[in-house]
Amino acid sequence: MYKRVRLKDTVEVPPKHLADVTPQRVKRLLQDKLEGRMDEDVGSVVSVVDVHDIGEGTVLPGRAGVYYEAEFDAITFDPSMQEVVDGEVVEVVEFGAFVGIGPVDGLLHVSQISDEYLAYDGENQQLASTESNRTLSVGDSVRVRVVTKSIDERNPRDSKIGLTAKQPGLGKHGWLEADRQANTATTGAEGE
């Protein structure tokens, strides 16, 4: 999910900073350019950490700045297909819940939350079961599996990550704990 990777990219150093082409300056320019951006190959760039090498500058006709290729380390976030992750519900809507997993949100569709029917309660910003007292609300911690991933590099906000919680060991942390306690009580009663 989170990885430290070695990358190369070109950065433009504006004329006012040409006397200061240091690793610190290049790092700041790379941070401005890349942090928060999505890339199909490496995922979301969370942070540019260290600049290792700055190549020779290139001047392009009609451009004021000088372009440098830099080699650097970055921390990236790239959820893998079928990866199990913990997250927090950040929004509840009629069709499901958005779950914050790292720097991005994934959609946990209402059909992928539980085998029970969940009704949307807009007044309380929650999905509530009609069969039990289980609810899913903003701020709840959940364990989910990544089942779909579509990265849009041009418009990172349009990237989509689909999640499921309909497998054993997945769901709202409170539900998982209640199930564990019920199973322990049942197992303990059978053993007596």
Side-chain angles (χ1 to χ4, degrees), residues 22-164:
T22 62
Q24 294 80 12
R25 169 72 58 202
V26 171
K27 178 180 174 181
R28 281 193 296 273
L29 292 168
L30 287 166
Q31 287 170 331
D32 291 344
K33 179 182 179 183
L34 298 175
E35 288 181 0
R37 300 267 164 81
M38 297 287 272
D39 180 275
E40 185 69 40
D41 297 324
V42 299
S44 177
V45 177
V46 177
S47 179
V48 174
V49 183
D50 294 314
V51 174
H52 297 287
D53 186 44
I54 303 169
E56 293 295 317
T58 303
V59 177
L60 298 178
R63 301 288 185 127
V66 177
Y67 292 82
Y68 292 87
E69 184 170 292
E71 185 174 304
F72 58 95
D73 285 347
I75 303 297
T76 62
F77 175 85
D78 188 22
S80 302
M81 292 294 293
Q82 304 307 319
E83 182 175 6
V84 174
V85 296
D86 288 317
E88 182 177 311
V89 176
V90 295
E91 183 180 6
V92 176
V93 292
E94 198 166 334
F95 54 86
F98 288 96
V99 178
I101 53 171
V104 297
D105 296 342
L107 173 63
L108 183 57
H109 191 269
V110 68
S111 67
Q112 294 298 310
I113 296 172
S114 169
D115 288 329
E116 299 178 15
Y117 176 76
L118 297 173
Y120 176 63
D121 178 358
E123 186 176 315
N124 295 311
Q125 275 282 294
Q126 67 182 9
L127 294 165
S129 171
T130 56
E131 301 168 30
S132 67
N133 63 351
R134 292 184 168 188
T135 62
L136 187 65
S137 307
V138 172
D140 286 344
S141 295
V142 293
R143 178 163 293 146
V144 294
R145 181 182 303 276
V146 176
V147 291
T148 61
K149 183 171 95 168
S150 174
I151 303 299
D152 187 333
E153 293 179 19
R154 292 192 178 155
N155 298 307
R157 290 227 163 267
D158 292 340
S159 296
K160 294 175 178 49
I161 297 174
L163 308 170
T164 187

Side-chain angles (χ1 to χ4, degrees), residues 143 145 165-171 176:
R143 178 163 293 146
R145 181 182 303 276
K166 282 184 75 171
Q167 295 169 343
L170 302 180
L176 296 173

